[in-house]
Amino acid sequence: MAHHVSAPHPVPPPGPDTDDTRAHPRVLEPVMLVILVVLAAVGAVIGIDLVSKLGISANTSVVGALVAMLIGRIPLGFLRRMRSVHRQNLAQSAISAATFASANALLTSVAVPYVFGRTDLVWPMLAGAFIGLLVDAWVLYRAFGSRLLPADAAWPPGTAAAETIKAGDRGGRRALILAGGTAAGLAGTLLSLPLSAAGVAFLGNVWALMMFGIGLMLRQYSPDVFHTDLGAGFIPHGVMVGAGIVALGQAVVLLIGRRERKRKSGAERARSAPDPAPAPAQDPTVAYTVDERALRLSLIRGYALFTAGAVVLAVLGGLIGEMSPLGIVGWVLFAAFAALVHELIVGLAAMQSGWFPSFAVTLIFLILGLAIGIPSVPLALLVGYVSATGPAFADMGYDLKAGWLLRREHRPWDPYEREGRRQQFLAALIGFGVALVVVALAWRSYFGQGLIPPVAKVYADTIRSGLSDPDAVRTMLLWAVPGAAIQLLGGTRRQMGVMLATGLLILTPQACWLVLGALAVRVGYRRLRGPAADEELNLVGAGLIAGSSLGDSAQILKA
């Protein structure tokens, strides 16, 4: 499918409203604002409860969409406006943003210095993590719709949320198919069967998900087949390092704009040749809304903002008295670099699979920090800062994908889409603000009861023990070679190396068979049904993911 850059700016500039943009619902509508705040509070509580008691996080966007649908059916005039799919989209954006912000970004980050024994650094860490969270979401907002992070990529949970909202609005056969998939996904969660893995395989890139399935299979069966646990000894981390380095190189190529210049020169050559037939009209919704120049500026500004956040954290955390001036400068630049790279790798994996390997990528930078000799307290703050980025980046990609699918039929599309993204970003900011308040009020109570996110304990214990395996860095460098080669082979769109590493990092029994089996069904069914198969399988996949999300959110009852 061909793509074209339709505008030089990634987001709508502030200015007077037009008729087209004014038609999109606003987060500051009184009823809308109240609903968003309440949903965000619910999402934040769900997030911190699940991550502290069960060590898991849940995508609550489908929950928010369903609640908004129910509110819209209350027979009160001022609530009927919630029947709008775009208001429901804002609702799911706010609740999911609050859930991931509270659990993955804020509570986990502040738990690192707490477990490390420095309770005096909890508040500075909370401030630094919140800055990282804001920058994280801002970069995705500015970069979404680019060649690096295209709107028409998989973003599976976003597709699931959009299809749920569409089915609730339109009903009919689509709703029945989606409801069947949702019921199956929910039942699978209750039976500890990860059917969301099959759902993702119906939505994402076939090659990327094939590598993901292979990674899952190697992780599960390598001890029996090869008599070696490929999940141990930092092997998956090495594959991710190699794939991540190549992925960054591929991103640099996009930022330089070399491919765009080649495309333009090819187009000029094509125009000089005789055209036997008129070109078909392009779908404007698949055009890139962010060109290479705008993407480059967004990432550069993102790095600058991450640097500013690291400076704030260094000052509040008292690093000025613990490190030399040169050491502080190095720490700040490394922290900003790690935060940016972390969010990009996590975002690319989430874009293709719906999973984001935040823990593994953060652990990579922790090990690198140990290897270069960063002192323990500054390293604890760096790890907390880096871990605050990534999840919100991925979640905002899911939410903007859902909004993109819901807005595709609006004409004129471009101004409406840009305003919709802006309103979703504002809804996410409301979710972040509520999450900050919830975590600030609740962390003492949770930590006092010993309810601490498990990954924070791993980070703190690793910092205390140091590099107990002296060959860890060498192992990662060795396994970085195949990771880099596979990523280079797959290219930017497929992210095969990143996806292989993601699969190696996840130990979910039988998930490999669900992914690979669903891919086989997808290929065979499409040969049987033709293009019509895509829509039906998308609905089934979206239902499986939605049902799994509901099941994960229901774990709050168990907690």
Side-chain angles (χ1 to χ4, degrees), residues 13 15 43 74 111 137 183 194 268 283 308 345 370 412 436-437 504 541:
I74 296 175
E268 290 172 358
D283 180 358
I345 294 178
L370 289 170
L436 176 65
V437 173
L504 287 171

Side-chain angles (χ1 to χ4, degrees), residues 93-125:
S93 299
I95 190 173
S96 65
T99 303
F100 282 108
S102 65
N104 299 75
L106 300 179
L107 192 71
T108 298
S109 294
V110 301
V112 176
Y114 182 90
V115 176
F116 198 68
R118 291 295 301 271
T119 56
D120 58 307
L121 294 178
V122 169
W123 290 109
M125 187 70 259

Side-chain angles (χ1 to χ4, degrees), residues 12 59 61 163 183 193 210 235 253 258 289-290 302 312 345 368 377 407 417 476 490 506 527 557:
N59 189 329
S61 59
E163 292 298 342
L193 193 63
M210 182 180 70
I235 291 174
V253 172
R258 192 172 298 162
T289 54
V290 181
V312 172
I345 294 178
L368 291 177
V377 172
R407 292 185 290 264
E417 170 65 16
M476 286 198 298
I506 297 173
R527 289 182 178 179
L557 301 177

